[in-house]
Amino acid sequence: FSITVRLKDAPPDLDLQLALELIEDVDGDDAGRVAYADDGGEGDTEELYYGGSTGFDDSGTYLVVVSAADGASCEAGYEVEILTGE
């Protein structure tokens, strides 16, 4: 199990950050943030990876959160790519 989220084509005056939250696990609980990325600067690509937890059922509902760390509004266009794997 894995999830990779890539944020691409951010405007040159916008520093975006990514978070991945497990909002409902197999027991119906909110596990909160499981991964976070804020490595790039304005206009840079961000990528986060979550490989799950050993001995834990990672099934559930996940939420990708994109927010501005610095710069202009998040209303400008960008691309989010979500990849899943075994």
Side-chain angles (χ1 to χ4, degrees):
F1 168 84
S2 67
I3 299 174
T4 301
V5 181
R6 289 189 189 115
L7 190 145
K8 304 187 291 187
D9 300 326
D13 60 347
L14 184 58
D15 180 11
L16 294 172
Q17 55 193 6
L18 287 170
L20 181 67
E21 299 176 4
L22 176 53
I23 59 172
E24 186 175 349
D25 67 13
V26 295
D27 297 321
D29 297 327
D30 183 343
R33 183 187 295 173
V34 296
Y36 176 78
D38 186 17
D39 299 323
E42 293 180 346
D44 289 342
T45 297
E46 291 288 352
E47 180 173 307
L48 68 75
Y49 173 82
Y50 177 63
S53 302
T54 302
F56 177 76
D57 184 349
D58 294 297
S59 301
T61 303
Y62 289 84
L63 175 68
V64 173
V65 179
V66 179
S67 57
D70 191 35
S73 165
C74 283
E75 292 178 7
Y78 51 83
E79 181 180 341
V80 175
E81 180 179 43
I82 300 172
L83 306 169
T84 59
E86 295 291 324

